[in-house]
Amino acid sequence: MISRRMLLLLDVMCAAGVLFSAVLIGGLLAGTRLLPTAVAIIVTMVLVLPGFTAGVITNRRTVRGRQPQSGWVRSVWSPPELPRWGIVVTGLVFLAFWAAGMSAFTGLSQDDLPPGDTAAQERQVSHQQRFGLGVLGGIGTGGTALAAGALVRNRRSVRTGERQMAAR
């Protein structure tokens, strides 16, 4: 089990990866490539993927009550327990990254690159970087929401346990 502090750290890293990706995509849309593609993608992956993995792992719940039909299923994945505004913001940010990544496809074409045209090759690299950052930003958005939902659920269960102990 992941401790609350570690989960919080991974959630903050994931949120930092989302912000980092958003800044880089904003720079690309403004016409400035702030970092080389390899550096941008690797740094974003290092920030985003641990938090996403922790969010997925911590949102598994043990099946209680009636057992599932399949005997080997002992836990199920659950959606994050966030307030409605949190889910809406997550959806809108995810949609923005999806749009940024998918709009990069309009410039991804190897066929019409004239040899020696460095401006066209630079645009191609910018589109590739925007696509990769859009995908990682979307993954980071989901990971941030999942980890935050696990933290909220953990805090609620701690409060409920404290109330039960005080009632005894």
Side-chain angles (χ1 to χ4, degrees):
M1 189 67 183
I2 300 173
S3 71
R4 284 179 27 206
R5 286 184 182 175
M6 180 58 78
L7 186 58
L8 180 62
L9 173 69
L10 294 173
D11 192 23
V12 169
M13 279 178 54
C14 202
V18 169
L19 184 61
F20 182 71
S21 181
V23 167
L24 292 177
I25 288 174
L28 289 171
L29 292 174
T32 305
R33 194 160 42 120
L34 301 173
L35 290 173
T37 302
V39 173
I41 298 296
I42 289 172
V43 169
T44 306
M45 285 175 62
V46 166
L47 289 171
V48 164
L49 292 181
F52 177 78
T53 304
V56 170
I57 289 171
T58 56
N59 274 298
R60 289 176 40 139
R61 292 192 189 170
T62 304
V63 176
R64 294 184 188 145
R66 185 174 150 228
Q67 292 298 317
Q69 291 181 354
S70 176
W72 61 272
V73 175
R74 299 282 182 242
S75 62
V76 293
W77 183 84
S78 65
E81 293 181 16
L82 292 176
R84 284 191 182 125
W85 65 266
I87 297 291
V88 169
V89 168
T90 299
L92 290 174
V93 171
F94 180 82
L95 182 64
F97 277 114
W98 181 82
M102 292 303 116
S103 68
F105 273 125
T106 59
L108 288 176
S109 175
Q110 296 290 343
D111 297 337
D112 56 348
L113 278 180
D117 189 0
T118 58
Q121 292 172 350
E122 184 66 29
R123 280 192 310 273
Q124 180 79 10
V125 170
S126 293
H127 286 296
Q128 290 170 351
Q129 185 175 359
R130 192 170 80 205
F131 175 73
L133 290 171
V135 169
L136 287 171
I139 289 171
T141 302
T144 301
L146 290 172
L151 286 167
V152 167
R153 186 177 66 239
N154 192 341
R155 189 174 68 201
R156 284 182 188 161
S157 66
V158 167
R159 277 196 225 154
T160 305
E162 290 172 357
R163 283 189 216 139
Q164 290 175 352
M165 293 298 285
R168 291 182 188 180

